[in-house]
Structures are given as C-alpha cells and as structure tokens.
Amino acid sequence: MLVVNGINYEQEFDFMVTAIRGRGPVNQEINATEIVNKKGSLYRGTTRPPRILEVEGTLSASSPEALRNEIERMNGFLYSEKEREIYFTDDPVKKYYGINEQTSESDEEVSNKPITLVFYCSDPDKYGQSVTGTTGTLITLNSTAKTPPIITATIKETTNSLSVVHQETGEEIVINYSLVAGNVVEIDCENNKVSIDGVLQMNAIDLLKADFPSLVAGDNNFTLTPASTILSTDYVERWL
C-alpha cells in the first residue's frame, strides 16, 4: 500500500500497513497578534504547516534472524538525504514529496515487529496529474489547491507589451518588450521567470505589475492584451 521512490513496501518486504495518518482534513496555522488591553487578537491570515505522514504497519519474517535482516534492508531503502515521491496504492494519483523523519517501534514478537514510519513533507500539497497544452482564456481547475501554471503566450501582432490578467484574483503581469508576430512568451509562475523565444528575459517584467498568477479551484478566466494573443497553459494538479 505504501510506495516510496517507486518501491512498494508490501511487495518488497512482508510489511502490512494497518493505519495511515496525515491524509485527512487540511491543517492551517493562524497568524495573529495580541493587542495590549484589547480582547482577542488581530488576525493576520493563515499558513499551512508541513505535512506529516504516519504509516503504521507490521514487518514480518520467517525467523528472528530474518526479521533483523529485513529491518536492516528496510533501513537502506528508507534512508535519503532529499525528499522523494510517496503515494498509497488506494489513491495512486495523489503524490506526496517527503523524507523519512523518524521511526517508532514496539517490541519484537519472535518474527514480526510493529513499526510506525513518519515522513516529513515540507510542501503540504498533494500533487496530481500533469495537464498540458490547455488552450484558450478559460481554464477549469478540478483540484483544490492554488496551482502556479506555465503560461505560454503566442504573439499574433506587433506590440510593445503583453498583459495577462487573472480575473478571479486580479493578479496581473505585464511584459514590456518589442514583440512581433510569432514571438512566444513563456511565463513560469512556479519559478517566477519569463522567457521570450526560449531566452530568459527578467528585465522585461514590469515592476509595478509583476504578479505571477496561480490557478484557483474552479473556473479561471484570463484577459490578454493584445487580445489576438493565443494562450496555452501547462500545470500539475495540486490538492489540499
């Protein structure tokens, strides 16, 4: 049921998962400031903490010696210095990215050992399918978390600027550059980068209108100036 870095732990080991925690309702941390001599506090917004996945299970083997060997072998698979892809076979589309943080264990019972694996995911989002080549100014996002797309704008007429406005959030990014028909402007909203015909052009970003938009759940409408510009978007679904 547990798959880490492409390794299914129930197939690689005799490891039976009995419980999973950390996939449930979203967690939020409240940012607030207490004010002297005032009741309550001043609400300043929310953040989402890292996701902690806990996987309880039992590791079994044919003998105590074989169990010790399996524990050592599992340690080799668990150890990593970077976050890796994690998913569960009952919901294989949703991917997490984390690193084994700690392992708690109970007493060995001859040839089986209850183990809890704890994975730290610095990014709390679950990642879904890649959606590529969506054309048009209306994009419908079926996932629930804000999703930064890669926007590709194909220029159809000569212009000194390109404006992309996300109607639902009001976010706008303006590219000031001498553009002609056939130029392709790529706006990478994940990494906050702009390229024109494959060449990085960060100086072209208007400093007063430099919002890299994120898609929100449901419909996302974009307004382009010039209006003749053809819009295409690529993104990876994200879930809370």
Side-chain angles (χ1 to χ4, degrees), residues 32-43:
T33 302
E34 293 187 2
I35 303 174
V36 177
N37 298 325
K38 296 287 185 179
K39 64 181 180 180
S41 61
L42 178 62
Y43 173 73

Side-chain angles (χ1 to χ4, degrees), residues 164-172 213-216 219-223:
V164 179
V165 181
H166 185 234
Q167 294 296 333
E168 280 66 30
T169 63
E171 295 168 324
E172 178 180 13
S214 289
L215 304 178
V216 296
D219 288 346
N220 295 263
N221 292 275
F222 287 91
T223 300

